[in-house]
Amino acid sequence: MRKITTVAALLACVASAPLAAKEGMFTPQQLPEIADDLRATGLELDPEALSDLTGFPMGAIVSLGGCSASFVSPEGLVVTNHHCARGSVQYNSTAENNYLENGFLAKTKSAEVPAAPGSRIYVTTALTDVTDRVRAGTDALSPTDRYDTVEQRLKDITAECEEKAGYRCQVASFYGGAEYTLIERLEVRDVRLVYAPADSVGKYGGDIDNWMWPRHTGDFSFYRAYVAPDGSAADYAEENVPYQPEHHLKVSASGLDKGDFVMVAGYPGSTSRYALLAEVENTFGWNYPTFQTLLTEWIGTIEDAAPAGSDARVKYESRLAGLNNYEKNLRGQIDGARRVGLVDRRRAREAELARWIAADPSRANYGTAIAQLNALEEESAQAARTSFWYGNATRPQLLGAAQRLYRLSKEREKPNAQRESGYQDRDLTFFRQGLQALDRRYDPVVDKAEWLLFLNGYIQQPTAERVPAFDKALGLTPQTTAADLPGLLDSYYTDTTLGDTETRLALMEADPATFEASDDPFIELAVALYDYDRGLEDAAEERAGRSLALRPAYMDAITQWQRSEGQLTYPDANSTLRITYGNVMGGSPFDGMQYLPFTTLEGITQKDTGEEPFNAPQRELDLIEAKDYGKYELDSIDSVPVNFMSDLDVTGGNSGSATLNAKGQLVGLLFDGTFESVNSDWDFDPRTTRSIHVDSRYMLWVMDKVDGAQALIEEMDIVE
């Protein structure tokens, strides 16, 4: 029998290169299959232990619902990236009391402040295979009935799981719907901000350095999980107490050196490594380039409408950071696809798979399913192109609130179990908190400027890509020009009452007739668009129903083909717990370019200009000049390591993931990848794939010597 390997040549298909990264975002259940390679790479823990989600160290790994994190004390202290907690810092900031600029440190637990509304900490406690229950009898159904049946079963399974108080459950799909796993997660709802360094540390280098190496970013922050006095999950209350996790990570003050084993445990968002050629061509030939151009204009629009230092800029800082990050990511994706010839590589891969299928008549059904799936992908791509500008033209925040509220009124007429996801009773807390969060993330002047940008793009589209219901409601005609748009929008902002939080919250209890009789302009627009939007949704669900019948067959073909080649197929990332591993190493993404594995404190001073984003605190600069390294120096670089690089296979959602050494101790936090490696979401390249981590020694050095967070250091288990 051929040995199962961890590098999938099916996806890599590149010439061998030195320092090749290890491919694979593995589920905990897959780890026993790669135990030999884990040990050979340097793991000292028992690989079997990593598949125990309630044991050490996996029991300390948590999700924030978009970022990853981990417990680092027995009192519920959670460490994650600065950029993951920055929304909470922004939410608690004002122009007069700007924690983004000055940093935030609660000297005592009583000084900790609530995180942004909707903040959660999820602790995975159990996994259960529910594939048979979800898929049974669905093959014979029509696409729409298949989709509806699967969705209802997912909701039913989730509801049964959530009968256990304090738990938020999820049924995740793997391999294109071939497998389903019920994930039971303890939900911590009282999340408080404990410590975040100033942007001049936590966001040092800003958008200029984002996705780049060398980096010198202190991308770390701390939350604390709170529960009711009896230990049950509870909303924020002064009497709540810190949550006591069963496991927490020890933090290493001695850290790592070049070549050492590292692994990351976290919740990567999504990858598309098994996407078919039609999706790849649409994404890189049209979608990404079009949206990247729009993002550039969007960022400029916000910056012009919300001047630096204004309260509006504070409100939009989190959005700006996200847009800048996404814009640069898309540029990297587009450049990476061109550099490796992604479209041609995907075409060659599908041809090779087709040859494997043709080699055995018993595999003919695979070929039929793949042909139908390709046609479906073409159809989906066309639908996405057609609705692109309409989707952007309906982005105003108060319109979004009105649409959600009107939809809620419609859904509340159904039994709870039959409502669409997002509108069931389990979702209403998030719904309410989203409406509340608008207070600190909405400004009418900025919102109107954004809407004008999107509408200007919309009115330039051909008639086939315009929406009559939208045009009629907004008063748009074929003769409407950009100069006409401000006058059409003025009344939306002067006559609406949705800018008031209490008004928005009260509408959660309103019936459809209340909305249909309203003269609020945003509500009127939401009502006018409702039927068209439901039509788009129905068409998307019908396509999804067809995909549920076809994609599992495609993924089975991939899996069997890879297995015949001695390769282990890992599923695309889907925000579920994954482990990836490798070593501390630099790299050479291009001829003549060499990346060293560590950056140093001295690199901060070399970059520093005194102006944002290279404006380190003066106290930090003084400490660096004095070479006051304390006990955090790495002898091989004669300084304190700030960031380090590894060959780990990660993606968005992994931000904040615990980086562990061979003993399972925290040695850093994953926070980024290099510009050359962002295309690995679609195509793994072992030469260019590199991940960037903030070193635990720099975290401790900043806490100890710059920000005076000794109480938190004493709370954690620090190991030398």
Side-chain angles (χ1 to χ4, degrees):
M1 180 179 291
R2 301 181 66 178
K3 181 179 178 182
I4 296 294
T5 61
T6 61
V7 179
L10 166 67
L11 301 176
C13 296
V14 296
S16 59
L19 303 177
K22 286 183 179 294
E23 178 181 355
M25 302 177 194
F26 298 100
T27 65
Q29 305 95 307
Q30 289 184 301
L31 298 181
E33 295 187 68
I34 56 173
D36 290 346
D37 196 66
L38 279 163
R39 294 189 186 95
T41 308
L43 179 67
E44 296 179 18
L45 297 174
D46 180 1
E48 295 281 348
L50 299 179
S51 61
D52 179 5
L53 301 185
T54 61
F56 177 84
M58 303 307 293
I61 308 302
V62 299
S63 170
L64 302 181
C67 281
S68 303
S70 51
F71 287 117
V72 287
S73 92
E75 295 185 85
L77 190 66
V78 170
V79 67
T80 188
N81 282 156
H82 183 272
H83 74 261
C84 294
R86 195 169 182 270
S88 292
V89 181
Q90 175 264 321
Y91 183 81
N92 284 286
S93 295
T94 63
E96 296 76 27
N97 192 14
N98 193 337
Y99 295 130
L100 294 170
E101 181 178 336
N102 303 320
F104 176 84
L105 174 62
K107 293 288 189 179
T108 63
K109 292 185 178 66
S110 61
E112 296 168 3
V113 297
S119 297
R120 295 289 189 273
I121 295 172
Y122 298 105
V123 185
T124 299
T125 56
L127 303 178
T128 306
D129 185 353
V130 293
T131 303
D132 290 343
R133 182 174 174 187
V134 173
R135 296 193 60 190
T138 59
D139 290 344
L141 300 176
S142 70
T144 299
D145 288 344
R146 182 183 303 116
Y147 177 86
D148 290 342
T149 298
V150 168
E151 285 297 297
Q152 190 58 56
R153 290 174 179 176
L154 297 181
K155 288 186 282 190
D156 292 343
I157 293 169
T158 301
E160 291 171 12
C161 178
E162 292 180 353
E163 289 176 0
K164 189 175 181 180
Y167 283 77
R168 183 85 176 182
C169 302
Q170 169 193 7
V171 181
S173 169
F174 297 84
Y175 303 107
E179 297 177 8
Y180 291 87
T181 299
L182 172 64
I183 304 171
E184 181 184 279
R185 305 177 301 174
L186 176 69
E187 179 185 45
V188 176
R189 303 197 301 269
D190 186 351
V191 181
R192 304 186 195 179
L193 182 64
V194 178
Y195 165 52
D199 275 0
S200 53
V201 171
K203 199 170 178 278
Y204 190 78
D207 297 319
I208 296 173
D209 271 6
N210 190 25
W211 300 105
M212 306 303 288
W213 187 261
R215 291 293 289 277
H216 300 83
T217 309
D219 203 346
F220 69 95
S221 290
F222 289 85
Y223 281 136
R224 194 182 304 277
Y226 279 81
V227 292
D230 64 1
S232 62
D235 294 325
Y236 173 84
E238 290 187 7
E239 64 269 19
N240 286 352
V241 298
Y243 171 71
Q244 297 181 350
E246 291 188 20
H247 301 280
H248 66 275
L249 301 176
K250 295 181 179 180
V251 180
S252 174
S254 56
L256 301 156
D257 210 335
K258 179 180 178 180
D260 285 352
F261 173 91
V262 283
M263 64 180 174
V264 154
Y267 293 81
S270 65
T271 54
S272 302
R273 292 182 182 170
Y274 303 107
L276 288 163
L277 179 62
E279 183 179 351
V280 172
E281 288 181 318
N282 179 64
T283 298
F284 289 93
W286 187 86
N287 186 290
Y288 278 4
T290 303
F291 199 39
Q292 189 265 327
T293 299
L294 179 60
L295 283 168
T296 301
E297 297 174 351
W298 191 354
I299 291 165
T301 296
I302 295 176
E303 290 176 339
D304 289 343
S310 67
D311 190 57
R313 176 59 69 89
V314 173
K315 288 181 176 181
Y316 280 78
E317 277 288 357
S318 182
R319 173 173 285 193
L320 272 174
L323 293 177
N324 274 294
N325 182 65
Y326 192 31
E327 188 277 333
K328 197 166 188 177
N329 179 281
L330 288 189
R331 277 193 283 124
Q333 298 267 15
I334 295 165
D335 182 69
R338 176 199 54 76
R339 186 178 64 249
V340 303
L342 175 61
V343 172
D344 289 339
R345 286 156 61 90
R346 194 56 54 94
R347 183 178 291 112
R349 186 182 84 177
E350 293 188 10
E352 189 175 348
L353 176 60
R355 285 192 291 272
W356 176 83
I357 292 171
D360 187 339
S362 68
R363 302 168 186 161
N365 287 340
Y366 288 145
T368 301
I370 292 172
Q372 293 175 350
L373 188 58
N374 266 311
L376 176 59
E377 291 293 349
E378 292 278 6
E379 183 181 332
S380 298
Q382 181 58 49
R385 290 193 292 269
T386 300
S387 63
F388 177 84
W389 281 105
Y390 171 71
N392 284 297
T394 52
R395 280 187 183 273
Q397 293 194 64
L398 297 188
L399 173 58
Q403 289 176 308
R404 293 192 302 274
L405 285 163
Y406 184 45
R407 179 70 180 274
L408 177 63
S409 74
K410 294 277 196 177
E411 294 294 331
R412 289 176 67 244
E413 295 181 324
K414 307 174 186 177
N416 180 60
Q418 296 176 19
R419 297 180 197 168
E420 289 295 320
S421 295
Y423 297 92
Q424 294 182 297
D425 290 343
R426 68 191 293 268
D427 304 309
L428 295 187
T429 297
F430 285 104
F431 198 110
R432 182 176 297 103
Q433 290 173 332
L435 295 175
Q436 292 171 327
L438 275 174
D439 279 348
R440 295 300 307 151
R441 293 176 181 169
Y442 167 78
D443 179 272
V445 173
V446 182
D447 194 80
K448 182 180 177 182
E450 291 177 310
W451 201 6
L452 287 170
L453 169 68
F454 301 135
L455 282 174
N456 189 46
Y458 172 81
I459 63 174
Q460 297 177 46
Q461 303 313 305
T463 302
E465 295 182 15
R466 298 276 290 266
V467 177
F470 182 65
D471 288 358
K472 179 180 179 181
L474 207 59
L476 301 175
T477 71
Q479 291 73 43
T480 300
T481 67
D484 300 322
L485 294 176
L488 293 176
L489 302 189
D490 284 344
S491 63
Y492 282 87
Y493 294 94
T494 58
D495 297 348
T496 187
T497 60
L498 291 177
D500 176 66
T501 302
E502 294 307 314
T503 298
R504 295 194 301 271
L505 294 178
L507 286 170
M508 287 184 67
E509 304 299 325
D511 59 15
T514 300
F515 289 91
E516 291 153 9
S518 174
D519 60 1
D520 185 290
F522 281 115
I523 293 177
E524 287 181 321
L525 184 55
V527 172
L529 299 178
Y530 183 82
D531 288 340
Y532 179 79
D533 289 342
R534 297 293 71 72
L536 289 179
E537 186 176 281
D538 290 344
E541 290 177 356
E542 192 276 339
R543 291 192 297 271
R546 281 186 275 160
S547 180
L548 286 172
L550 300 173
R551 195 167 291 276
Y554 164 61
M555 287 308 305
D556 189 49
I558 289 282
T559 300
Q560 298 306 321
W561 176 32
Q562 285 193 302
R563 189 166 291 277
S564 74
E565 297 291 323
Q567 300 154 9
L568 176 64
T569 304
Y570 57 89
D572 264 323
N574 61 351
S575 298
T576 60
L577 187 60
R578 303 295 178 92
I579 293 88
T580 180
Y581 65 100
N583 302 94
V584 176
M585 64 169 66
S588 178
F590 301 111
D591 180 51
M593 178 183 288
Q594 189 70 36
Y595 288 159
L596 299 178
F598 289 96
T599 58
T600 68
L601 291 180
E602 284 66 29
I604 295 174
T605 59
Q606 290 168 13
K607 287 182 176 179
D608 206 86
T609 64
E611 297 181 0
E612 188 179 353
F614 299 105
N615 57 333
Q618 188 59 49
R619 175 167 176 76
E620 180 173 38
L621 296 175
D622 292 343
L623 289 164
I624 296 171
E625 183 178 4
K627 296 187 179 296
D628 187 352
Y629 303 147
K631 57 184 178 180
Y632 309 111
E633 181 177 4
L634 173 59
D635 291 340
S636 63
I637 62 173
D638 297 321
S639 185
V640 176
V642 177
N643 297 150
F644 67 88
M645 180 178 281
S646 76
D647 62 346
L648 271 62
D649 185 4
V650 298
T651 189
N654 269 126
S655 290
S657 293
T659 305
L660 308 177
N661 63 13
K663 297 178 181 179
Q665 298 165 345
L666 186 81
V667 289
L669 300 175
L670 185 285
F671 74 92
D672 211 350
T674 60
F675 190 70
E676 301 84 13
S677 67
V678 295
N679 190 245
S680 65
D681 282 0
W682 293 82
D683 183 83
F684 185 85
D685 184 346
R687 174 169 181 166
T688 60
T689 297
R690 292 295 182 271
S691 299
I692 302 173
H693 315 246
V694 58
D695 197 292
S696 59
R697 288 163 290 195
Y698 182 59
M699 293 164 57
L700 293 169
W701 183 84
V702 170
M703 295 172 72
D704 184 8
K705 295 184 173 293
V706 179
D707 285 343
Q710 281 81 11
L712 294 180
I713 294 176
E714 292 173 3
E715 181 180 335
M716 297 185 291
D717 291 334
I718 310 297
V719 292
E720 302 295 336

